[in-house]
Amino acid sequence: MKLLTKQQITFFEEEGYLVIDNLLNESEVTYYSNLYDSFLDNRIDASKYRSDLSGSDDAAKENITQIMVPSKIVPEMLEKVLHIKSLRMAQELMGDDIALDFDMLINKAPNTNTITPWHQDAAYWINMPDKRAASCWVAIDHAYKENGCMWYTPKSHLSEILQHEQTGNKGALKCEGSEENSVCIELSPGSCVFHQGGTLHYSRGNSTNDNRRAIITNFRPKAMISLERSKGVDHTGDRKVKQ
């Protein structure tokens, strides 16, 4: 049974992103919310893969907590609904040879008001002959403008990757972008948005009293994952602009 319609697949191909409502039901959101908090408060030790995506020099406070490859620490995540359904959808969007490359957690802490700068995910990656790739950004909390929901620039994946530079102390990559020609995607808990590797996106800072937690799964062809690994790329190391 197909999870996506032809119209949804065409929209993703043409616009570079696709919103999916209710990927997770209420009880599933509760499971992931509790698991997420275990990572954030260090009941699950993810220190090896944890960093502040904002590049801040303040070691006492994380503005944008990023935890790479959480499923390496909690392998049962791979057998749960979020990974299973997002993989099936990614295969419908891009082909049966698509597989999970990596996953991550990104949280914007309350009242940190730190943007995630405009960027294209492909700027983080090595140059590959098959450029099919997509991320599935799943909201664990209500994501809206004030707490840092995602903004996407339609059709930006159809152009070349822009010039990027790094922010702060090994912080996120950034490039030129604007809200004026972009769309704001507000999501309820358990809903998600897929976007292509070349799709330009960013988010405002979190100016609210609540967290803005998201789980991201990233997909590409199995052959390209093998190529990455042969070159030592497993998405756990320092961020570098692709060569």
Side-chain angles (χ1 to χ4, degrees):
M1 178 180 173
K2 294 290 186 181
L3 298 179
L4 301 176
T5 66
K6 290 182 178 179
Q7 291 80 5
Q8 287 175 309
I9 295 169
T10 297
F11 187 92
F12 175 77
E13 292 172 347
E14 293 180 351
E15 301 299 321
Y17 70 96
L18 177 67
V19 177
I20 306 291
D21 292 325
N22 303 317
L23 180 77
L24 307 176
N25 63 33
E26 185 175 350
S27 65
E28 291 162 348
V29 170
T30 298
Y31 164 79
Y32 286 106
S33 178
N34 292 335
L35 179 65
Y36 210 120
D37 286 345
S38 295
F39 277 102
L40 290 180
D41 64 19
N42 293 311
R43 281 176 285 155
I44 298 174
D45 182 10
S47 55
K48 182 178 180 181
Y49 304 120
R50 184 168 180 159
S51 63
D52 186 349
L53 193 58
S54 73
S56 170
D57 292 323
D58 184 358
K61 180 181 181 181
E62 291 175 340
N63 294 316
I64 308 175
T65 300
Q66 182 182 53
I67 299 174
M68 296 300 298
V69 294
S71 64
K72 284 185 178 291
I73 304 169
V74 183
E76 72 178 50
M77 292 179 69
L78 297 171
E79 306 302 323
K80 298 295 185 179
V81 60
L82 188 155
H83 281 69
I84 291 172
K85 287 181 71 173
S86 62
L87 172 59
R88 285 182 58 193
M89 289 179 175
Q91 290 171 336
E92 291 183 26
L93 290 170
M94 298 185 293
D96 292 339
D97 62 334
I98 295 298
L100 177 72
D101 190 0
F102 63 95
D103 50 16
M104 60 181 166
L105 312 179
I106 297 181
N107 176 54
K108 293 202 169 191
N111 299 301
T112 46
N113 207 23
T114 304
I115 70 164
T116 301
W118 288 101
H119 68 283
Q120 295 158 293
D121 291 343
Y124 285 93
W125 305 332
I126 62 172
N127 192 16
M128 286 175 277
D130 188 337
K131 301 186 186 305
R132 285 177 294 158
S135 295
C136 178
W137 195 99
V138 186
I140 302 304
D141 304 299
H142 178 205
Y144 52 104
K145 286 181 182 179
E146 289 77 14
N147 74 350
C149 70
M150 302 295 286
W151 293 69
Y152 296 95
T153 306
K155 304 185 187 300
S156 53
H157 67 300
L158 301 176
S159 301
E160 294 296 318
I161 301 301
L162 299 172
Q163 183 67 39
H164 287 66
E165 61 183 31
Q166 197 164 57
T167 58
N169 179 25
K170 296 183 178 180
L173 298 180
K174 65 179 181 179
C175 66
E176 293 297 321
S178 173
E179 291 184 0
E180 291 185 4
N181 58 345
S182 302
V183 292
C184 172
I185 305 296
E186 298 187 330
L187 296 173
S188 60
S191 294
C192 70
V193 56
F194 280 85
H195 67 265
Q196 300 210 32
T199 302
L200 186 62
H201 58 289
Y202 111 118
S203 61
R204 296 180 181 179
N206 183 359
S207 59
T208 75
N209 294 324
D210 300 313
N211 286 297
R212 192 234 60 187
R213 297 170 297 170
I215 300 177
I216 298 96
T217 48
N218 185 274
F219 305 96
R220 70 177 73 248
K222 295 176 183 178
M224 296 300 98
I225 297 172
S226 296
L227 177 62
E228 285 182 320
R229 301 300 184 267
S230 72
K231 295 181 178 295
V233 176
D234 62 3
H235 303 283
T236 62
D238 292 340
R239 302 179 189 85
K240 295 180 180 179
V241 179
K242 66 178 184 179
Q243 303 297 318

